Amino acid sequence: MCQSKIGVHRRRDGRKTWVCSEFERLNTWKERVGMYMTQMENLRTWNAGVEKGNLWSATSVKVPGIEVVYGQQQECYAYFDPTSLSSIRTALEDLKAYIDADGPFDGILGYSQGAAIAATLLVQDKIDQPSQLNPLFKCAVFLSGGVPFDPAALRRSEVRFLNPAVDGQRITIPSAHIWGSNDTDFPDTSPRLSKLCMADIRTEIIHGGGHEIPPLKGDFLAEVIHAFRKTIGGSLAGLMHGVMLKRHGHNVRILDRSLTSARTDQAAGMGTGPQGREFFEQHDLFGEPYCFACPGFQFLDRDANIKRTLNLPLNLTSWNVLYYRLRANFDAYESEFCPNPPSASETDGSTVYDLAKRATNVVYADNLVTVEFEDLIGGGEGSVHADLVIAADGSNSSVRNCLLPSTQPTYSGYVAWRGTVPESEASQETRQFFDKRFNAFTMKRGYIVGYAMPGPDGSLNSGDRLLNYVWYFNCPSSSSDFKENMTDIDGRTHRNTLPAGKMRPDIWSKHKAHAAQVLTAPFLELVNKTSEPFISTVNDCTATQASFFDGRLLLVGEALTLLRPHTGMSFNHAAVSCLLLKKVLTGEIDMVQWEREVLQYRERTMLLAIVVGSYFQFGIFGPSFLLGVIKLGFAIFRQQMEKLSWRLQSRL
């Protein structure tokens, strides 16, 4: 459960009644508020600007049962006089001043007339801040709610109640509406208030009582907590952004097309990069090491001698380790990688990891993005509304296909043969090569790299790890080799990846024979001891923009750019956009600057990966290497000029 700050108003006798709360703290109504929550309307509650005004007797306001609590002659206060323009305005100003002084708060809780003024403030906030990237509250709970006023009319010195039939849905944060089926005093106000809130992110709970705050029993609390939404695409990039948003108090829902949370061994080693490390330093609460340090590269010759070294510190890990670490931080998912996930902090938002949901379309209207999806298990279709969507659904992104249908992955001209060998099964000589450094060996038509990565259970201990290699092999898509290599044991030809366990024995025997002719001994041993090799094509895919729908939908990770793997910067690329988005949320930069910086980093990293791959495959005098260096240099120069221009424009 998320435990966050709550707001209170003090009665004149010093006791407290709640004004603000969040969904997860509804279960403390009784113990924190006790008898004072029995009837919150017309409590003797201190309200700045109201303490000396709007003094009504208990009998002058139709609040059934108030006289039982406070007596017939007891003076009671209302939040405002609904017939007085100045009184309504003062109540709104005082509530906003209180929030500014004592907030921020996660949510607002209002009963009856208090719900009406709270809802009015939410509508006013939507008018003042149409983007709602930093809404005044993240959620609202309305108990026997009154109908809010029209803030625009109040500013015109008119008193008018909002009408859902005329005004539509005006409150766009998650909301819960709780009222009694036997409310004979104000039977129409709660349904009207509910219809003023966004339909797909509101919950209606009707109990058997009247105009009251019901006790919390059975599944009542679970129904209330159910009302939240913020939608994100899956993958490491999606989880990274989800963790960051959660840590900043946002409610996050991830739609993942995978059918299960458990992942098979991806056999994919990865580096984290500087921004990836910065992300974990800021947001990882698990605390245990997730990578190990590598001092740099060493280049081998045919006789396994070290030709030269390059000191370039790296942090090496694996896809599985990152996935389970992010899941532990996102929704406390337990795994052998993270058996004791960290508990949520008091300021964290709520999270849901929604499996078997494949996004099929996105629509933008009324400052909200609607994500339509297909349920891959239950069948049928559904949709959710969100004020921010992070599309992180990979290189074949269905969201990107909706926005930029002409942007599709293209084959770069070479494939990667991949495999892993348990470190314990390698010879001592080979283990020494891969123990500390990242190894590389070049040959005609390609090159191979290898390094140690965490073991199948995430262990970083020497002897428990896996030795991972990637052999880049030039192979035109029109060649007979390409089709032959990508056709599996069942006769199916794969376009992007031939999975582990599906390679034909004759193809693997042929490849091992070729390896014996060209590879240096440490790499040859790894190839020969690989039990389940697989092949991935190396593709390019670059979206022309990263921000859509006025900054309400963002492409990140491989949905934005499919980087060639030579620099191992795909995770870092996602971390850059995540850390920059954090700056947007904290007001350091705007969404325009976010997109500029993301696209600039993307271009530099993409061109650098091409240069590195060309160097290893064709050498320093290869035409593709020389052309890549020129393009990279020109891009860096142009970006510096663009940044200078932006700074000058911002000062004008």
Side-chain angles (χ1 to χ4, degrees):
M1 294 294 183
C2 177
Q3 303 291 321
S4 297
K5 185 177 181 181
I6 60 170
V8 297
H9 275 181
R10 289 186 180 274
R11 294 158 45 108
R12 289 199 294 180
D13 60 7
R15 287 178 290 180
K16 299 179 180 180
T17 58
W18 281 12
V19 176
C20 301
S21 181
E22 58 177 310
F23 291 152
E24 288 79 8
R25 290 200 130 172
L26 289 174
N27 62 344
T28 57
W29 280 355
K30 286 185 176 179
E31 64 180 75
R32 295 290 185 93
V33 184
M35 64 170 291
Y36 308 117
M37 289 294 287
T38 305
Q39 294 285 350
M40 280 184 62
E41 187 167 2
N42 288 2
L43 285 180
R44 294 179 298 163
T45 303
W46 175 85
N47 238 333
V50 184
E51 186 175 3
K52 296 181 180 179
N54 304 332
L55 182 60
W56 301 346
S57 69
T59 57
S60 67
V61 181
K62 294 181 179 179
V63 183
I66 195 73
E67 69 278 1
V68 176
V69 180
Y70 294 106
Q72 290 283 353
Q73 304 304 317
Q74 184 71 285
E75 294 179 333
C76 299
Y77 291 95
Y79 288 106
F80 55 90
D81 181 350
T83 65
S84 169
L85 176 67
S86 61
S87 173
I88 298 168
R89 283 176 168 174
T90 300
L92 284 170
E93 292 168 0
D94 291 340
L95 181 56
K96 183 63 167 61
Y98 177 82
I99 294 165
D100 290 342
D102 292 81
F105 302 108
D106 292 285
I108 187 163
L109 168 69
Y111 168 64
S112 192
Q113 197 180 49
I117 202 69
T120 303
L121 184 65
L122 294 175
V123 176
Q124 178 176 294
D125 183 57
K126 183 69 168 63
I127 294 173
D128 295 339
Q129 188 192 174
S131 68
Q132 290 285 282
L133 285 179
N134 291 288
L136 197 59
F137 298 99
K138 304 183 188 72
C139 60
V141 180
F142 301 119
L143 302 156
S144 299
V147 180
F149 299 94
D150 181 359
L154 294 176
R155 290 172 178 174
R156 298 192 303 267
S157 299
E158 301 172 5
V159 176
R160 172 184 175 268
F161 290 100
L162 289 171
N163 183 350
V166 176
D167 301 296
Q169 298 174 351
R170 302 294 299 275
I171 295 175
T172 57
I173 62 172
S175 59
H177 304 262
I178 304 161
W179 71 85
S181 59
N182 293 312
D183 185 350
T184 58
D185 299 287
F186 305 97
D188 299 323
T189 58
S190 288
R192 285 179 62 184
L193 172 56
S194 178
K195 288 181 173 63
L196 287 164
C197 299
M198 191 62 65
D200 283 356
I201 50 176
R202 74 179 182 226
T203 296
E204 295 179 350
I205 303 172
I206 304 174
H207 56 83
H211 197 75
E212 62 186 22
I213 295 176
L216 292 171
K217 295 180 179 179
D219 296 330
F220 187 76
L221 175 62
E223 291 184 74
V224 176
I225 295 176
H226 184 67
F228 62 84
R229 294 286 192 274
K230 183 170 288 249
T231 305
I232 296 185
S235 79
L236 294 185
L239 276 167
M240 194 183 307
H241 286 77
V243 170
M244 183 275 292
L245 289 167
K246 169 190 173 179
R247 294 282 182 254
H248 286 79
H250 296 276
N251 300 320
V252 185
R253 177 180 180 179
I254 287 183
L255 302 180
D256 187 352
R257 59 185 170 225
S258 301
L259 303 182
T260 175
S261 288
R263 295 293 187 266
T264 57
D265 185 11
Q266 299 289 321
M270 299 185 71
T272 57
Q275 283 78 17
R277 294 194 296 273
E278 182 180 352
F279 168 84
F280 277 109
E281 289 169 0
Q282 293 182 12
H283 302 297
D284 177 31
L285 300 184
F286 189 69
E288 297 296 324
Y290 63 91
C291 62
F292 57 89
C294 170
F297 294 80
Q298 61 186 18
F299 299 85
L300 308 180
D301 64 16
R302 186 69 168 81
D303 297 322
N305 298 311
I306 299 174
K307 297 192 296 183
R308 63 184 184 279
T309 59
L310 174 63
N311 292 324
L312 183 65
L314 304 168
N315 281 333
L316 300 178
T317 185
S318 68
W319 190 96
N320 278 21
V321 166
L322 294 177
Y323 168 76
Y324 286 111
R325 178 62 61 93
L326 290 170
R327 281 297 302 271
N329 281 281
F330 179 72
D331 62 338
Y333 181 75
E334 294 184 17
S335 67
E336 61 180 340
F337 293 80
C338 300
N340 299 299
S343 301
S345 70
E346 292 185 355
T347 57
D348 282 351
S350 302
T351 60
V352 167
Y353 200 88
D354 201 352
L355 293 164
K357 303 297 188 297
R358 185 180 69 86
T360 57
N361 193 27
V362 287
V363 180
Y364 182 54
D366 299 325
N367 294 315
L368 284 178
V369 181
T370 299
V371 179
E372 299 172 357
F373 61 83
E374 174 188 6
D375 189 332
L376 301 178
I377 293 180
E381 298 176 344
S383 65
V384 291
H385 291 296
D387 53 2
L388 177 64
V389 171
I390 309 294
D393 49 345
S395 59
N396 293 306
S397 168
S398 57
V399 175
R400 188 192 63 232
N401 289 340
C402 296
L403 303 168
L404 303 170
S406 62
T407 302
Q408 299 294 332
T410 57
Y411 180 52
S412 66
Y414 55 98
V415 300
W417 293 68
R418 310 190 64 157
T420 59
V421 174
E423 190 174 22
S424 59
E425 295 181 10
S427 66
Q428 187 62 37
E429 293 79 11
T430 294
R431 290 176 61 174
Q432 289 178 351
F433 276 101
F434 294 96
D435 183 45
K436 298 294 184 182
R437 285 189 174 267
F438 193 103
N439 292 265
F441 174 73
T442 61
M443 71 210 78
K444 187 178 180 180
R445 296 184 63 198
Y447 78 102
I448 188 170
V449 296
Y451 49 94
M453 59 182 266
D457 61 352
S459 174
L460 303 176
N461 298 324
S462 180
D464 296 335
R465 302 174 299 180
L466 295 172
L467 302 184
N468 172 64
Y469 67 87
V470 185
W471 185 354
Y472 297 103
F473 202 90
N474 289 292
C475 188
S477 60
S478 59
S479 68
S480 59
D481 282 348
F482 181 86
K483 182 177 181 180
E484 193 175 59
N485 293 338
M486 298 298 290
T487 301
D488 65 21
I489 55 177
D490 301 317
R492 177 188 173 189
T493 301
H494 297 262
R495 184 179 63 177
N496 295 314
T497 299
L498 188 144
K502 287 292 186 177
M503 185 173 294
R504 288 158 45 195
D506 60 313
I507 294 296
W508 184 231
S509 296
K510 179 180 177 181
H511 193 69
K512 287 198 293 183
H514 176 67
Q517 297 175 3
V518 299
L519 289 184
T520 187
F523 282 110
L524 179 59
E525 180 181 345
L526 295 188
V527 169
N528 286 331
K529 291 183 176 179
T530 299
S531 59
E532 291 192 330
F534 64 101
I535 306 174
S536 296
T537 58
V538 178
N539 298 324
D540 297 317
C541 188
T542 304
T544 54
Q545 64 186 93
S547 176
F548 301 80
F549 302 155
D550 301 322
R552 294 294 187 159
L553 188 151
L554 309 178
L555 293 182
V556 302
E558 292 186 347
L560 174 64
T561 302
L562 184 56
L563 297 173
R564 298 189 187 184
H566 309 292
T567 55
M569 297 297 281
S570 61
F571 187 79
N572 201 71
H573 177 235
V576 168
S577 67
C578 181
L579 295 174
L580 287 171
L581 181 59
K582 172 188 171 184
K583 291 186 177 182
V584 174
L585 299 176
T586 57
E588 298 176 59
I589 62 175
D590 59 21
M591 195 59 75
V592 173
Q593 188 173 351
W594 175 88
E595 185 175 36
R596 286 173 177 172
E597 295 197 27
V598 166
L599 293 181
Q600 282 200 345
Y601 179 84
R602 182 271 302 276
E603 183 183 25
R604 295 193 307 271
T605 308
M606 178 182 66
L607 292 174
L608 177 61
I610 293 174
V611 167
V612 172
S614 298
Y615 168 75
F616 279 117
Q617 292 177 85
F618 307 110
I620 195 171
F621 298 110
S624 59
F625 171 76
L626 295 175
L627 181 60
V629 169
I630 293 172
K631 287 182 177 180
L632 176 60
F634 178 75
I636 293 173
F637 174 78
R638 189 192 70 252
Q639 289 182 10
Q640 293 301 317
M641 294 299 100
E642 289 173 350
K643 288 182 179 179
L644 179 60
S645 175
W646 297 337
R647 292 193 189 101
L648 292 175
Q649 290 177 13
S650 65
R651 294 176 182 176
L652 297 179

